[in-house]
Amino acid sequence: EDVRVLVESARAGDLAKHPGAVKSPMVGTAYLAPEPGKPNFVAVGDKVTAGQTILIIEAMKTFNPIKAPKAGTVTQILIDNAQPVEFGEALMIVE
């Protein structure tokens, strides 16, 4: 099990270097939908525009919209809904 965790964290580290990586600007809890029961902001394969909200991160009771840094297609979503995230962690890949 420890090996699997190491491989996953190495892969996540590599993904943070990806030119299309959308990285977390803060420590908090990431949400893929605006509220429970609502559809996710984006799904893999969706086209996004620069500045479009693609997820939110709750930090200190504040919900912070995370916006697409550029126009493109969401090719990977690297987190689960309501997952704790670290500063600099790759959340999605937009290519």
Side-chain angles (χ1 to χ4, degrees), residues 9-95:
S9 70
R11 209 170 52 227
D14 290 345
L15 286 169
K17 295 184 191 105
H18 189 290
V22 178
K23 295 182 212 155
S24 179
M26 65 196 72
V27 174
T29 304
Y31 294 96
L32 298 174
E35 57 187 76
K38 296 281 186 194
N40 287 356
F41 288 107
V42 294
V44 170
D46 284 1
K47 297 229 180 290
V48 296
T49 57
Q52 176 181 338
T53 298
I54 54 175
L55 63 118
I56 51 179
I57 295 179
E58 187 264 323
M60 297 183 289
K61 308 252 185 269
T62 302
F63 289 89
N64 303 280
I66 306 304
K67 299 182 182 305
K70 62 180 183 179
T73 302
V74 177
T75 58
Q76 291 182 67
I77 297 176
L78 307 169
I79 55 164
D80 293 319
N81 192 46
Q83 175 180 320
V85 295
E86 297 294 322
F87 174 81
E89 181 177 341
L91 307 171
M92 292 188 188
I93 304 292
V94 175
E95 296 187 90

